[in-house]
Amino acid sequence: MTDHPSPPAVVPSPLTAFFWEGAAAGELRIQRCQACGTFIHLPRPVCRRCHSFDLRGEVVSGRATLYAHTVTMKAFHPFFVSRLPYVVATVELAEQAGLMLMTNVVDVAEADLHTGMDLVVTFEALSPELTIPVFTAASSIGASR
Amino acid sequence: MKSRRVAIVGVGYSRVGRHTGLSERHHAAQAAIAALDDAGLTAADIDGSTTWGGDAIDFAYMLGMNPLRWHLNVGVSPAFVTPAIHAAMAVATGQSDTCIAFRIMMQQPSSATLASGEAMLGATSSEDTQFLYPFGNFSPTQWAGLMMNRYLYDSDATEEHFAEFASIQREHATRNENALQRTPLSAAEYLAAPYISKPLRLLDCDYPCDSGSAVIFTTEERARDLRQPAVLVDAMALSAVHDMNFEVMADMSHTAPVHCAEQLWSRTDLRPSDVDTAQLYDGFSVITFQWLEALGLCEPGAAGPFIAEGHTRLGGSLPVNTDGGACNVGRRHGANFCIEATRQLRGQCGDRQVPGAEVAVWANAVGPFAGAMLLTST
């Protein structure tokens, strides 16, 4: 038995299950309107551009640029206390201008984080039940893939 | 429907403090009684009530403000400016003749309590928070950290400018006997304070407390017969540009205040250069920077240098947050900016009075939504 705190529970809804199923399978999936092609995040039941209800999760490239980041120095949940400091970031996905995702940037020294840098998705298992899509520097991955 | 001109005639606070042990009703009652006394009105004169925090009907009935011709509880919205604008609209449209607007705010759990798991922000993730919580994002300090990081990139501001801002606000607070933080603060002390969500420091955050604030609105005609010099509502605007997920806004440096300011200036003959004092939300200090630019009170991207040059000091060209701001008077969620603007236009601010102030703007919130009100003394 361990008393290490659990990560926040994620309870997928019919609207969000694709995202978490994708993460568990090592894929970044983002909701996309099947009528007009607009990507939408966070998931919504209707397309804000054309009002179609035909929306589906689609695998995206996992390429992004760093829009903004903040180094979290104080934890607000027991699971994250041992992870301090960690980087919370807003990234712009390559698929569409203004398509933003909030995530973490991992394995990049703070001094090397810079706005606009190229990032690529990777996946981190927080627990056997929960895997999250996080991002790292594209330059550190490119050579090995 | 004919629109009536609206005035602010009474303002009041509860006994604001850290962990007061008093209930929302206590704070509402104290604030309302102070505002009635300020105005020279009685409970029987109030026929409209609105609040964020607690219940508008409950507060009114408790205080003998009964019956009500109009009432509204506002939910998550741009702080006190939302009930304030609704109260002013109720009077303007004749739904109410004399309306009280409340903001009642109880101190929230500390970060240490939250981190220990003793006070969870939410046991399970809802449909939206599941895209935030698993990444360790729980606190408004984190979207504020993102916003400040991007603002430092997009603008001319530096962390040293934020240090100047904190120091100037504290200097104003030393002239306000009701401020909770009154010890002078140097820029160096700001820079030595811990980061919460870097680049956001502890002293970029408003100061948590229990507070009750109340403001009474009535018609210009009725205001002329009351105790205080009338302060008139010249224009107001309430904007939204995004849903509540700050963290996925595609432009964090030009947010709802930009749209809100456009609406505000389109509804008045006054111009930014007419403003004598500005009372601009500082729940996080980057918000004040964004409002200075959005309202056209300084050049785009130039709020940092504008502050460092001393313009926003008492005695400067545009004194800002003359009560010390919420970083120092405590978190009154925007209401202090309305009350301070009103007192400045009445000429009641003593040591921190802006000489001859005739036009004041006060504004709340940032990011997805924002609201602002332009007030005049004549």
Side-chain angles (χ1 to χ4, degrees):
Chain A
M1 289 295 289
T2 171
D3 59 0
H4 189 74
S6 301
V10 168
V11 182
S13 74
L15 194 62
T16 66
F18 74 86
F19 184 90
W20 298 109
E21 289 164 7
E27 293 178 350
L28 180 62
R29 300 179 190 164
I30 298 293
Q31 190 187 47
R32 190 175 199 189
C33 175
Q34 302 301 300
C36 76
T38 303
F39 286 96
I40 296 164
H41 185 75
L42 286 46
R44 290 291 181 264
V46 65
C47 174
R48 64 193 296 268
R49 182 161 173 261
C50 78
H51 291 182
S52 169
F53 287 83
D54 187 9
L55 301 154
R56 230 167 288 171
E58 288 191 7
V59 179
V60 295
S61 66
R63 289 182 292 111
T65 53
L66 181 61
Y67 177 76
H69 70 277
T70 183
V71 185
T72 301
M73 312 295 283
K74 296 269 185 194
F76 295 88
H77 180 289
F79 177 78
F80 293 93
V81 172
S82 63
R83 300 167 71 89
L84 293 174
Y86 59 90
V87 177
V88 168
T90 298
V91 304
E92 184 170 19
L93 299 178
E95 275 66 22
Q96 181 176 296
L99 179 63
M100 316 305 276
L101 180 76
M102 203 219 73
T103 181
N104 302 125
V105 175
V106 299
D107 300 331
V108 181
E110 189 187 330
D112 294 333
L113 287 167
H114 59 268
T115 302
M117 71 187 291
D118 290 325
L119 301 170
V120 63
V121 75
T122 181
F123 294 87
E124 180 176 2
L126 299 185
S127 72
E129 296 80 33
L130 180 63
T131 294
I132 61 172
V134 298
F135 284 75
T136 193
S139 55
S140 69
I141 294 281
S144 63
R145 285 205 173 165
Chain B
M1 191 161 50
K2 210 170 121 187
S3 181
R4 309 189 291 187
R5 289 202 76 188
V6 178
I8 292 174
V9 293
V11 298
Y13 291 124
S14 68
R15 287 198 294 277
V16 173
R18 303 272 287 175
H19 301 294
T20 59
L22 300 179
S23 67
E24 287 184 334
R25 284 176 172 150
H26 265 105
H27 283 281
Q30 291 174 349
I33 291 165
L36 287 171
D37 184 54
D38 183 59
L41 290 167
T42 69
D45 295 313
I46 304 296
D47 65 0
S49 175
T50 179
T51 189
W52 184 4
D55 182 90
I57 297 173
D58 184 278
F59 293 161
Y61 187 77
M62 167 179 76
L63 286 155
M65 299 165 177
N66 196 58
L68 295 176
R69 298 170 62 214
W70 181 85
H71 53 84
L72 177 70
N73 291 332
V74 307
V76 173
S77 58
F80 177 69
V81 77
T82 310
I85 286 176
H86 284 87
M89 287 197 299
V91 172
T93 58
Q95 299 296 305
S96 165
D97 286 334
T98 306
C99 185
I100 190 163
F102 294 95
R103 180 70 181 99
I104 311 299
M105 185 107 196
M106 307 307 284
Q107 189 170 342
Q108 290 165 355
S110 69
S111 59
T113 306
L114 290 167
S116 73
E118 288 166 24
M120 282 292 295
L121 290 171
T124 53
S125 298
S126 77
E127 210 157 74
D128 279 3
T129 56
Q130 68 187 265
F131 295 98
L132 307 176
Y133 290 179
F135 304 91
N137 183 313
F138 299 93
S139 162
T141 57
Q142 293 170 294
W143 64 247
L146 290 169
M147 180 175 280
M148 186 171 169
N149 166 263
R150 184 69 195 197
Y151 178 77
L152 287 166
Y153 176 82
D154 283 335
S155 75
D156 297 334
T158 65
E159 292 192 40
E160 286 69 28
H161 294 152
F162 280 84
E164 278 299 315
F165 176 77
S167 176
I168 291 167
Q169 295 228 116
R170 185 65 64 82
E171 184 185 310
H172 294 173
T174 65
R175 306 193 200 190
N176 178 2
E177 62 184 17
N178 292 315
L180 300 181
Q181 305 256 42
R182 301 188 67 202
T183 310
L185 175 79
S186 69
E189 286 169 313
Y190 165 94
L191 292 167
Y195 288 111
I196 302 297
S197 193
K198 193 177 180 179
L200 184 93
R201 287 183 167 86
L202 179 66
L203 295 174
D204 291 306
C205 306
D206 59 1
Y207 189 60
C209 64
D210 297 340
S211 67
S213 308
V215 175
I216 300 172
F217 294 82
T218 191
T219 60
E220 177 184 19
E221 186 182 9
R222 184 159 169 69
R224 298 294 180 202
D225 298 329
L226 295 178
R227 182 172 287 166
Q228 303 291 350
V231 169
L232 299 172
V233 177
D234 185 82
M236 51 197 191
L238 193 60
S239 284
V241 301
H242 198 275
D243 66 27
M244 282 308 101
N245 297 294
F246 286 69
E247 294 85 352
V248 291
M249 291 189 74
D251 184 346
M252 294 185 183
S253 294
H254 309 89
T255 64
V258 175
H259 180 260
C260 184
E262 289 169 4
Q263 304 305 306
L264 188 77
W265 294 123
S266 75
R267 296 169 187 171
T268 177
D269 295 329
L270 295 169
R271 308 312 327 149
S273 58
D274 295 318
V275 174
D276 298 309
T277 179
Q279 310 295 335
L280 307 174
Y281 198 75
D282 66 337
F284 300 110
S285 50
V286 64
I287 302 173
T288 313
F289 284 59
Q290 290 204 8
W291 272 112
L292 282 168
E293 296 171 18
L295 285 163
L297 301 172
C298 68
E299 294 298 312
F306 185 77
I307 289 162
E309 287 160 12
H311 293 288
T312 63
R313 286 180 189 277
L314 282 163
S317 64
L318 180 75
V320 171
N321 297 356
T322 50
D323 67 346
C327 293
N328 298 307
V329 304
R331 181 183 293 148
R332 307 181 192 205
H333 213 204
N336 60 298
F337 301 109
C338 176
I339 291 176
E340 180 72 2
T342 299
R343 288 176 171 164
Q344 285 287 354
L345 295 178
R346 291 177 180 174
Q348 296 174 342
C349 285
D351 281 354
R352 63 178 197 277
Q353 180 63 42
V354 176
E358 294 179 341
V359 177
V361 64
W362 68 279
N364 285 179
V366 77
F369 55 18
M373 197 177 268
L374 192 61
L375 303 176
T376 65
S377 60
T378 49

